[in-house]
Amino acid sequence: MTTIAIIGAGPGLGTAVARRFGREGHDVALIARNRERLEALAADLTTEGVTARAFPADVRDPETLAAALDAAHVTLGPIEILQYSPVPHRDFMRPVLETAPADLIGPIEFSVYGPVAAVRQVLPDMWDLGRGTILFVNGGTAAIPHPDRAGTSIAFAAESAYGHLLHETLAADGIHAAQLVIPGAIVPGHPRKDPAALADALWAIHRDRHGFRHYADDLDS
Ligand SMILES: NC(=O)c1ccc[n+]([C@@H]2O[C@H](COP(=O)([O-])OP(=O)(O)OC[C@H]3O[C@@H](n4cnc5c(N)ncnc54)[C@H](OP(=O)(O)O)[C@@H]3O)[C@@H](O)[C@H]2O)c1
């Protein structure tokens, strides 16, 4: 079975997606910065019968991110599914009139350079397999920019454009690029925004393979 690489493998959506795709038989490469937390999560998943390994990397360091994905490929085998869902840093969310060029470096590194580095690293596996899925997960500012969250709003627009271009360009190769926009917060127990419900939505996008942008809930929720 092939591998899903989850970039931003934390306790919320990352864990739920690891369980959901692991249940379908995929091996799971867990990527985030904190090695200890990743290894604890990998151990938990292993006790549940999912093959999972930790590959620490900071998405703002493209070389380290590419090296982590390469290590995942070597250890677990070809990566068929890439999910890019690290949770953005608080200091990216400044009001638009307080946002200077230097304040956009982090958001652009995080939401543009990181995805581009990750996608370029995994595409050869997907081309070899003749299939693949690239999943971008974003908050509501990807769809409606918010004046108090300028960094993420601006960088998510660029990430969305990149994803859309991939969607158009890679379809002929059997590679489906899609985005899940989660308006508001992830809410445990919510029928559509509980992490497990969102993981089901991501599985359905991977399985059904149509359309680029999907919404986890109504935009005004
Ligand atoms: N939580 C919400 O209410 C909410 C709302 C709307 C959309 N979303 C989206 O849903 C997705 C998952 O959110 P979640 O809150 O459930 O997150 P999660 O899966 O619980 O964890 C995401 C992980 O991203 C990692 N991360 C942060 N910065 C990173 C970096 N520079 N490099 C590598 N990894 C990094 C963090 O681990 P380390 O600290 O170990 O790096 C964190 O544990 C994200 O795309 C987020 O934008 C979340």
Side-chain angles (χ1 to χ4, degrees), residues 108-130:
I108 298 292
E109 286 176 342
F110 190 90
S111 297
V112 184
Y113 299 164
V116 174
V119 166
R120 290 175 64 81
Q121 184 64 35
V122 299
L123 275 179
D125 271 1
M126 296 182 181
W127 280 320
D128 283 350
L129 289 166

Side-chain angles (χ1 to χ4, degrees), residues 125-167:
D125 271 1
M126 296 182 181
W127 280 320
D128 283 350
L129 289 166
R131 64 181 188 278
T133 302
I134 299 168
L135 299 166
F136 298 95
V137 180
N138 294 104
T141 54
I144 301 181
H146 192 293
D148 289 334
R149 296 179 214 144
T152 48
S153 297
I154 293 165
F156 283 175
E159 182 181 354
S160 301
Y162 179 60
H164 214 136
L165 294 172
L166 294 174
H167 176 82

Side-chain angles (χ1 to χ4, degrees), residues 32-39 56-57:
R33 291 166 299 177
N34 187 300
R35 176 184 290 276
E36 274 179 23
R37 282 203 296 261
L38 286 181
E39 285 179 348

Side-chain angles (χ1 to χ4, degrees), residues 7-15 31-35 37-38 57-60 84-89 110 137-140 156 182-187 195:
I7 301 179
L13 183 63
T15 297
I31 299 176
R33 291 166 299 177
N34 187 300
R35 176 184 290 276
R37 282 203 296 261
L38 286 181
D58 186 335
V59 300
R60 292 174 65 179
Y84 195 85
S85 57
V87 72
H89 303 187
F110 190 90
V137 180
N138 294 104
F156 283 175
I182 306 170
I186 294 176
V187 184

Side-chain angles (χ1 to χ4, degrees), residues 45-77:
L45 289 164
T46 302
T47 62
E48 296 171 22
V50 175
T51 300
R53 299 277 187 283
F55 301 96
D58 186 335
V59 300
R60 292 174 65 179
D61 178 348
E63 282 177 20
T64 312
L65 181 57
L69 287 163
D70 182 53
H73 157 101
V74 169
T75 307
L76 296 173

